[in-house]
Amino acid sequence: MTYLLRVGLNISDFTGELFGESIMEVLRPQLVRIDGRIYRKNPIQEQTYQHEEEDEDFYQGFVESAEEPCDGYEVVQTPQGFQCTVKAPSLLYKHIVGKRGDTRKKLEVETKTSISIPKPGQEGEIVISGQHRSGVISARTRIDVLLLTFRRKQPFTHFLAFFLNEVEVQERFLKFQEEVLEKCSKDHGVNSTIFQNPKKLHLTIGMLVLLSEQEIQQTCEMLQQCKEEFIDDITGGKPLEVEMEGIEYMNDDPGMVDVLYAKVHMKDGSNRLQELVDRVLERFQSSGLIVKEWNSVKLHATVMNTLFRKDPNAEGRYNLYTADGKYIFKERESFDGRNILKLFENFYFGTLKLNSIHISQRFTVDSFGNYASCGQINFS
């Protein structure tokens, strides 16, 4: 059983997962933000998520204790009472309906409302109707929590990125791979299977869960707004000339490395690239399109990743859940990166002119072997 209680805090994110509670989570409860309101999620007993069959179990313990009106919701008065609409991708409808419709029924009974949900496969709006404004608001808040919870269980579908696969960089990357294998192949875990595909070299700004064409379009529009409001000022309407130089590792033990990356910086020594990506990240976080995990983007391009060892299409830590919300444990064999770091610390991968931010789709490739792009903005 899980309770959500109102917390009088003003923070801009919610952290942690809503399942798999531990003792530490009792002492430091997780927070959920919905339209400026902060809720504390208190774990009462352990639950295991098993797709939609347990949606009603999740809802069974769900209590929203703050019923006061919320200015963030647009509630309209009708001849029958009050009404509010919720936009959501059809993929998430089933979590509001629940098994045999139990979740919707409980919502309707407890909030004294009627909830209309489009049929499976049809895009539209969830409509909440009731005689009392407070009941409509309560139902809307609960639906928002359910949508946020199960959206977080969806695997990332897209990401914002710069492509770093210019011909010079690809050639230099292959030279790096050749020399590493020549000089360090006897080091534990080092072989050709853990190197990135040079055609897929990229710099990630943020990960996205886009579950409908409307959400993809919303992302394109948000990116265009960023261009008009601040990107053009930062770039001056010209490509950003950067250098890809030097390597670093993600964890704290160079003898057991899982991810090795190349560093990316402005050629003129300025902070413009960092400023640009951080402001894009902030804008998407504030819109809810990207869940806030960090305040700043780490400028890097993955060149070696141990997940590639068993799956050439693996994409790092972002393979945590399947489409039906089941957790994936990715066993990986680390490699000894000490010699690589010593010998190639300042390896030069080349100069690039960054002129586009792409909305890239995971697990897809275009005719050039790079990630397929669903949309982009150009600086010049």
Side-chain angles (χ1 to χ4, degrees):
M1 185 175 295
T2 304
Y3 288 85
L4 289 177
L5 303 177
R6 178 75 184 277
V7 180
L9 299 175
N10 181 24
I11 64 174
S12 61
D13 64 335
F14 58 89
T15 58
E17 301 296 341
L18 296 182
F19 297 92
E21 295 87 357
S22 66
I23 293 176
M24 282 304 297
E25 289 171 320
V26 175
L27 301 176
R28 301 177 62 184
Q30 299 160 359
L31 303 177
V32 179
R33 174 188 173 135
I34 301 174
D35 290 319
R37 308 167 76 191
I38 303 301
Y39 298 86
R40 182 175 64 243
K41 174 236 164 195
N42 290 333
I44 304 302
Q45 73 180 45
E46 185 175 358
Q47 287 183 308
T48 301
Y49 175 63
Q50 295 179 346
H51 195 31
E52 60 194 278
E53 295 183 359
E54 294 192 1
D55 287 359
E56 64 271 24
D57 295 331
F58 168 78
Y59 179 75
Q60 179 67 38
F62 174 83
V63 174
E64 201 279 301
S65 64
E67 299 289 345
E68 72 273 14
C70 177
D71 293 336
Y73 296 148
E74 182 179 347
V75 180
V76 299
Q77 192 163 5
T78 68
Q80 292 76 33
F82 296 89
Q83 191 175 92
C84 184
T85 59
V86 185
K87 291 182 179 180
S90 60
L91 185 64
L92 299 181
Y93 292 162
K94 61 188 177 184
H95 301 299
I96 308 303
V97 175
K99 188 178 180 181
R100 298 182 300 273
D102 288 350
T103 300
R104 175 167 59 182
K105 292 175 185 176
K106 289 176 182 177
L107 277 167
E108 292 177 328
V109 169
E110 295 179 7
T111 62
K112 295 181 174 62
T113 60
S114 173
I115 301 172
S116 175
I117 301 174
K119 294 180 180 179
Q122 294 182 356
E123 296 295 338
E125 293 183 331
I126 298 171
V127 180
I128 307 166
S129 304
Q131 294 184 355
H132 304 286
R133 178 183 172 89
S134 60
V136 171
I137 290 174
S138 177
R140 169 64 190 270
T141 302
R142 299 178 190 212
I143 288 174
D144 280 351
V145 170
L146 288 170
L147 291 172
L148 282 170
T149 299
F150 290 104
R151 176 179 284 276
R152 283 178 65 87
K153 289 294 180 181
Q154 301 300 314
F156 291 115
T157 59
H158 299 74
F159 58 97
L160 297 177
F162 290 102
F163 293 162
L164 306 176
N165 57 353
E166 293 186 11
V167 174
E168 176 196 355
V169 172
Q170 288 194 51
E171 292 175 350
R172 291 292 297 165
F173 172 84
L174 291 173
K175 181 66 174 176
F176 167 77
Q177 177 176 337
E178 179 186 344
E179 293 186 7
V180 167
L181 293 175
E182 179 184 336
K183 299 176 181 178
C184 306
S185 60
K186 293 184 179 180
D187 295 343
H188 176 76
V190 176
N191 60 46
S192 62
T193 65
I194 61 176
F195 286 86
Q196 173 67 282
N197 180 339
K199 295 179 181 179
K200 290 187 174 182
L201 289 168
H202 64 277
L203 188 161
T204 300
I205 299 174
M207 303 300 299
L208 299 156
V209 176
L210 305 179
L211 303 178
S212 67
E213 288 299 322
Q214 289 84 350
E215 292 189 348
I216 293 175
Q217 182 59 35
Q218 182 185 358
T219 302
C220 292
E221 293 171 358
M222 178 69 67
L223 202 53
Q224 182 62 33
Q225 290 174 14
C226 290
K227 172 179 167 58
E228 295 170 359
E229 294 178 16
F230 59 84
I231 290 178
D232 284 345
D233 288 339
I234 295 174
T235 64
K238 300 177 181 179
L240 296 178
E241 193 166 4
V242 304
E243 290 182 315
M244 191 167 153
E245 180 179 19
I247 57 173
E248 262 293 351
Y249 59 103
M250 285 292 187
N251 59 309
D252 58 359
D253 185 356
M256 295 186 66
V257 176
D258 284 318
V259 176
L260 191 78
Y261 63 89
K263 294 180 282 188
V264 181
H265 60 265
M266 287 292 297
K267 189 173 182 179
D268 63 10
S270 72
N271 197 43
R272 288 189 296 154
L273 177 60
Q274 188 71 61
E275 179 188 358
L276 188 154
V277 295
D278 285 349
R279 291 186 66 177
V280 170
L281 178 67
E282 180 183 16
R283 178 60 59 86
F284 274 80
Q285 287 174 339
S286 64
S287 73
L289 286 169
I290 291 179
V291 174
K292 185 171 184 180
E293 295 181 275
W294 302 280
N295 292 322
S296 181
V297 177
K298 189 176 186 67
L299 299 175
H300 74 283
T302 298
V303 294
M304 298 173 71
N305 188 330
T306 56
L307 285 182
F308 298 154
R309 196 187 303 279
K310 294 183 178 180
D311 180 6
N313 295 314
E315 295 175 11
R317 68 182 193 85
Y318 304 116
N319 277 356
L320 293 181
Y321 292 95
T322 62
D324 59 359
K326 294 180 181 179
Y327 183 78
I328 300 173
F329 175 72
K330 289 281 188 178
E331 184 179 358
R332 54 204 298 176
E333 177 192 352
S334 300
F335 67 91
D336 186 345
R338 287 174 292 185
N339 283 332
I340 298 175
L341 290 162
K342 180 179 179 180
L343 296 172
F344 302 94
E345 180 181 7
N346 299 310
F347 188 89
Y348 186 73
F349 291 90
T351 300
L352 307 99
K353 290 185 178 181
L354 304 184
N355 193 42
S356 304
I357 296 178
H358 293 263
I359 303 168
S360 299
Q361 185 173 353
R362 299 181 70 208
F363 308 118
T364 62
V365 294
D366 60 19
S367 58
F368 300 102
N370 195 6
Y371 292 101
S373 179
C374 299
Q376 68 184 74
I377 59 167
N378 299 321
F379 301 160
S380 64

